[in-house]
């Protein structure tokens, strides 16, 4: 037995030994789940799959396991309830495992060694020359969190910003600029001016089809590869936009491994088209080149080249998929893009499937819901961007959150040192946390009061729990960054009364695996809320600093370990945790 066995791993190997399970299929069938009712035990094993492999009735196998796994240093008791085996761990072994593990940063509490997995995440990906809007905020925070979780689990992650910097949407911007642009305004506030131009274009293009025709011409000129006015404009708008996006990215603590937007594939689309042709699935339809997808159950064909010879969003996504396959050998390519683009990704996948490309199975659209804001007049929740018909600039939203938090601090903790820094951290985090709180497919209600509530299931609530733990450590002689030495001479039995906290912490590994598997950061968010709740509850009933020395030491180690793990969990979500707030 190792010095500090993982209770779950230990139980699995004891079950394997008791059932003489050796084949991969049998071992795979030994999966633990949290018991439906904690009174039944700490971990539960449903004997169904293994019983099936053995041709036994599940209750019979469960009973055999319960009889065959005798208590040891880690396992206190094993019982069978129908087809389920329920185990209870010794409190000392449980406490030792999670507290030392968290303090040392051993996996899963700290990062795992390289797993050999390669995960590509296409996220954020705003369109240039337009403000960074709320939908891109969601993609940015969800994608970044998924990336951090996979990295923590040992995967090689390629986070890609697939900027919308090519094609018709961009050509429309360019048209607007060429017609109505004002160099002085652009100088003053580039993104704002471009947004005004964009609104103007949208309004005028409604009754003036000549505008779209003009945009198509500009795009053709850009895509011709010539060194012309279009290309200079493109470069200029791209540089300005990238500089403008960097502000929010820095504040959100988000970085990319590759910024390869649509324009990056300008010279890679021909090869992609050749591959589609070679696969024999490209057809000419009304002058355009398309792949029909009826057999895949998709009525709308995928257009890869227009009759004027220009390429499309799909053409670039196809070239990008091939590029990513060749460069990164990905196990999965995740596209964190709003649910409204479902058809686009269904088509992309279907084209690859028709081409019999194995890549088709690796492509996954990771959709998410809208951000809604309350219409003050009607009281209804509406799409955020439509508020008053005005654009919402992400930076302004972040500023508003920070100002709100600053006000709360002035009220509640006027003497706080570094109050501006804390307000920035807590304000930005509140928005991120609010976004990652519910399963991503749900719409997010943007409700200041709710989001900044220190008692709700919010970022500030979890941050406050972490700050409270920091406060306890500050008042003791334990350094905030103390490590495993804290647990060197403890009597682990003294933490038996903290089983809620310990069992919550024990679930961290499976929490991360589920979150990665389902591309669902909300599972990690839920974990941090639960850990914050259980440690708050524990501290309500148990003194730390005033306990007698041996108990005090054990509880301080628990406090330090829980604080560490809250920081790890919040960090994976992209949320910082101040030591005081
Ligand atoms: N630029 C697109 C938009 O703003 C999102 C791009 C998503 N990624 C992709 N590979 N298609 O809607």
């Amino acid at each position: 037995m190792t010095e500090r066995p993982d209770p779950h791993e230990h139980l699995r190997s004891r079950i394997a030994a008791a059932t003489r399970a050796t084949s991969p299929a049998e071992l795979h069938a030994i999966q633990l789940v949290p018991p439906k009712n904690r009174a039944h035990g700490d971990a539960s094993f449903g004997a169904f799959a293994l019983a099936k492999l053995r041709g036994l009735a599940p209750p019979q196998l469960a009973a055999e396991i319960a009889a065959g796994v005798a208590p040891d240093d880690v396992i206190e008791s094993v019982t069978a309830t129908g087809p389920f085996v329920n185990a209870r761990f010794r409190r000392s072994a449980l406490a030792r495992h999670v507290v030392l593990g968290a303090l040392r940063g051993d996996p899963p509490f700290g990062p795992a060694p390289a797993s050999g997995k390669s995960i590509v995440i296409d996220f954020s990906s705003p369109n240039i020359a337009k403000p960074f809007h709320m939908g891109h905020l969601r993609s940015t925070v969800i994608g970044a969190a998924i990336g951090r979780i996979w990295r923590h689990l040992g995967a090689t992650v390629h986070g890609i910003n697939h900027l919308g910097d090519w094609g018709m949407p961009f050509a429309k911007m360019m048209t607007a600029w060429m017609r109505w642009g004002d160099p002085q305004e652009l100088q003053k506030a580039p993104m704002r001016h471009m947004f005004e131009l964009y609104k103007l274009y949208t309004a005028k293009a409604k009754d003036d089809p000549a505008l779209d025709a003009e945009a198509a011409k500009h795009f053709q000129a850009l895509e011709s590869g010539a060194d012309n006015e279009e290309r200079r404009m493109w470069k200029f708008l791209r540089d300005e936009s990238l500089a403008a996006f960097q502000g929010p990215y820095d504040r959100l603590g988000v970085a990319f491994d590759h910024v390869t937007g649509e324009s990056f594939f300008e010279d890679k689309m021909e090869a992609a088209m050749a591959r589609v042709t070679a696969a024999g699935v490209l057809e000419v339809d009304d002058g355009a080149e398309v792949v029909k997808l009826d057999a895949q159950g998709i009525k709308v064909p995928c257009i890869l080249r227009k009759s004027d010879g220009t390429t499309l969003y799909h053409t670039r996504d196809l070239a990008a998929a091939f590029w990513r396959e060749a460069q990164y050998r990905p196990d999965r390519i995740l596209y964190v893009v709003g649910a409204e683009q479902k058809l686009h990704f269904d088509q992309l996948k279907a084209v690859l499937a028709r081409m019999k490309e194995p890549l088709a199975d690796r492509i996954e659209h990771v959709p998410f819901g809208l951000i809604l804001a309350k219409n003050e007049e009607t009281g209804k929740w509406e799409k955020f961007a439509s508020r008053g018909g005005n654009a919402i600039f992400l930076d302004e939203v972040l500023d508003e959150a920070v100002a709100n938090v600053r006000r709360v601090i002035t009220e509640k903790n006027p003497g706080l040192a570094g109050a501006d820094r804390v307000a920035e951290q807590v304000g930005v985090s509140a928005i991120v946390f609010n976004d990652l709180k519910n399963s991503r497919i749900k719409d997010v209600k943007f409700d200041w009061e709710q989001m900044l509530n220190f008692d709700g299931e919010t970022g500030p609530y979890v941050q406050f729990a972490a700050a409270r733990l920091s406060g306890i450590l500050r008042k003791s002689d334990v350094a905030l960054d103390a490590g495993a030495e804290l647990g060197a001479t403890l009597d682990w039995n003294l933490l038996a009364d903290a089983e809620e906290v310990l069992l919550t912490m024990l679930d961290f590994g499976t929490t991360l695996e589920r979150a990665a598997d389902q591309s669902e950061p909300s599972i990690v968010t839920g974990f941090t809320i639960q850990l914050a709740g259980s440690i708050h509850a524990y501290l309500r009933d148990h003194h730390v600093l005033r306990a007698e020395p041996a108990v005090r030491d054990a509880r301080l180690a628990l406090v330090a370990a829980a604080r560490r793990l809250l920081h790890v969990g919040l960090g994976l979500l992209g949320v910082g945790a101040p030591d005081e707030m």
Side-chain angles (χ1 to χ4, degrees):
M1 198 188 295
T2 60
E3 176 212 348
R4 188 175 52 78
D6 176 329
H8 281 150
E9 281 314 309
H10 179 74
L11 177 60
R12 288 185 64 205
S13 68
R14 289 291 312 275
I15 293 175
T19 55
R20 294 195 187 77
T22 45
S23 76
E26 289 173 328
L27 292 174
H28 184 75
I30 305 177
Q31 299 291 350
L32 303 178
V33 291
K36 291 223 169 55
N37 177 348
R38 277 249 158 111
H40 291 163
D42 304 332
S44 182
F45 166 61
F48 310 97
L50 187 59
K52 193 165 177 201
L53 291 172
R54 293 290 172 80
L56 291 173
Q60 185 193 344
L61 182 63
E64 277 175 28
I65 293 171
V69 180
D72 62 16
D73 290 356
V74 176
I75 297 168
E76 189 175 284
S77 63
V78 178
T79 52
T81 311
F84 287 97
V85 176
N86 295 311
R88 187 178 151 89
F89 300 121
R90 287 196 196 282
R91 275 18 195 171
S92 58
L94 173 65
R96 189 180 157 81
H97 170 71
V98 300
V99 172
L100 279 186
L103 289 174
R104 284 187 198 166
D106 291 342
F109 307 109
S115 68
K117 273 216 162 71
S118 168
I119 306 291
V120 167
I121 307 179
D122 177 323
F123 71 110
S124 193
S125 308
N127 295 329
I128 65 167
K130 289 210 195 139
F132 195 105
H133 65 64
M134 297 305 276
H136 293 122
L137 167 68
R138 290 217 70 192
S139 172
T140 305
V141 302
I142 295 169
I146 295 173
R148 291 187 207 97
I149 294 166
W150 273 111
R151 254 190 208 113
H152 188 94
L153 291 172
T156 301
V157 173
H158 296 277
I160 302 179
N161 192 348
H162 187 78
L163 284 181
D165 60 357
W166 207 248
M168 275 302 278
F170 173 71
K172 291 179 184 178
M173 261 324 296
M174 186 155 61
T175 307
W177 163 254
M178 288 179 173
R179 281 213 177 191
W180 312 298
D182 176 341
Q184 255 174 357
E185 284 300 311
L186 190 74
Q187 191 84 39
K188 261 195 274 166
M191 298 313 276
R192 208 162 270 289
H193 184 50
M194 284 191 262
F195 182 64
E196 292 306 324
L197 290 176
Y198 171 75
K199 276 199 294 191
L200 196 60
Y201 185 100
T202 317
K204 299 220 170 184
K206 270 202 201 105
D207 347 270
D208 185 1
L211 272 178
D212 279 355
E214 196 175 316
K217 282 250 152 47
H218 284 311
F219 181 47
Q220 224 173 1
L222 179 63
E223 215 171 34
S224 73
D227 181 13
N228 49 23
E229 172 70 14
E230 279 83 358
R231 192 153 288 260
R232 274 188 294 281
M233 195 61 213
W234 165 74
K235 173 128 185 28
F236 172 77
L237 292 178
R238 187 175 190 277
D239 291 348
E240 285 293 340
S241 305
L242 276 175
F245 295 154
Q246 200 53 46
Y249 287 149
D250 286 343
R251 294 180 79 178
L252 293 166
V254 168
F256 300 91
D257 302 292
H258 316 279
V259 181
T260 43
E262 293 187 42
S263 67
F264 179 77
F265 298 97
E266 185 186 2
D267 63 353
K268 297 169 184 67
M269 285 186 278
E270 278 322 306
M273 289 301 282
R275 210 155 144 176
V276 186
T277 310
V281 301
L282 198 65
E283 289 175 50
V284 176
D285 187 5
D286 209 6
E289 293 174 23
V290 308
V291 179
K292 297 205 171 136
L293 303 168
D294 301 85
Q296 270 66 29
I298 300 174
K299 293 270 167 301
V300 196
C302 179
I303 310 177
L304 291 174
R305 201 193 306 271
K306 286 207 246 173
S307 53
D308 69 2
T310 54
T311 60
L312 296 97
Y313 185 39
H314 263 130
T315 328
R316 292 180 282 285
D317 255 325
L318 193 64
F322 289 141
W323 171 261
R324 292 165 185 181
E325 178 185 44
Q327 297 294 310
Y328 314 128
R329 304 268 154 219
D331 294 284
R332 293 167 78 170
I333 306 185
L334 309 173
Y335 296 81
V336 185
V337 186
E340 66 281 1
Q341 291 195 30
K342 179 176 189 308
L343 175 63
H344 173 81
F345 291 104
D346 283 349
Q347 289 173 308
L348 178 65
K349 222 171 141 79
V351 168
L352 291 166
R354 268 206 71 191
M355 293 172 72
K356 306 228 170 357
E357 292 281 352
L359 186 58
D361 297 329
R362 313 232 163 106
I363 283 189
E364 283 173 57
H365 179 202
V366 177
F368 51 81
L370 301 172
I371 295 197
L372 306 178
K374 199 177 204 155
N375 180 320
E376 295 305 337
E377 275 154 37
T378 63
K380 284 206 183 104
W381 291 92
E382 300 175 341
K383 207 172 152 172
F384 200 106
S386 67
R387 201 165 72 170
N390 283 316
I392 306 294
F393 287 79
L394 179 59
D395 253 326
E396 292 173 0
V397 175
L398 296 178
D399 287 345
E400 197 175 336
V402 172
N404 282 331
V405 173
R406 190 69 185 81
R407 224 170 293 129
V408 177
I409 294 177
T410 311
E411 217 173 275
K412 293 197 174 167
N413 193 356
L416 182 65
D420 288 333
R421 190 181 37 83
V422 172
E424 169 74 19
Q425 195 171 37
V426 175
V428 173
S429 300
I431 290 181
V432 173
F433 200 93
N434 184 56
D435 195 305
L436 298 178
K437 199 173 79 179
N438 296 313
S439 46
R440 61 180 152 69
I441 202 66
K442 290 200 182 150
D443 291 342
V444 173
K445 286 188 179 157
F446 206 85
D447 177 345
W448 286 119
E449 217 165 292
Q450 207 286 96
M451 185 170 359
L452 297 172
N453 183 349
F454 280 49
D455 305 318
E457 297 189 339
T458 64
Y461 166 75
V462 178
Q463 286 171 317
F464 186 73
R468 181 176 181 194
L469 301 179
S470 301
I472 294 173
L473 296 176
R474 243 194 329 268
K475 286 192 208 117
S476 73
D477 41 10
V478 171
L480 283 183
D481 58 358
E485 69 277 4
L486 270 187
T489 57
L490 293 184
D491 176 356
W492 296 106
N493 286 305
L494 295 175
L495 290 178
D497 55 15
E499 63 178 357
E500 261 324 298
V501 181
L502 298 172
L503 288 168
T504 301
M505 290 173 72
L506 181 66
D507 283 339
F508 191 57
T510 52
T511 297
L512 294 185
E513 272 157 32
R514 276 187 299 132
D517 187 49
Q518 301 169 26
S519 302
E520 194 60 87
S522 62
I523 295 174
V524 176
T525 316
F527 174 87
T528 64
I529 293 171
Q530 200 183 333
L531 181 54
S534 63
I535 194 80
H536 270 320
Y538 181 74
L539 294 174
R540 195 165 47 230
D541 305 332
H542 302 83
H543 290 298
V544 177
L545 298 169
R546 280 186 281 144
E548 53 121 338
V551 176
R552 175 179 186 272
D553 287 351
R555 290 182 183 168
L556 279 173
L558 176 74
V559 163
R563 172 180 173 273
R564 279 278 169 94
L565 198 51
L566 279 177
H567 281 211
V568 172
L570 288 174
L572 291 173
L573 299 170
V575 170
D579 282 324
E580 215 178 329
M581 63 188 270

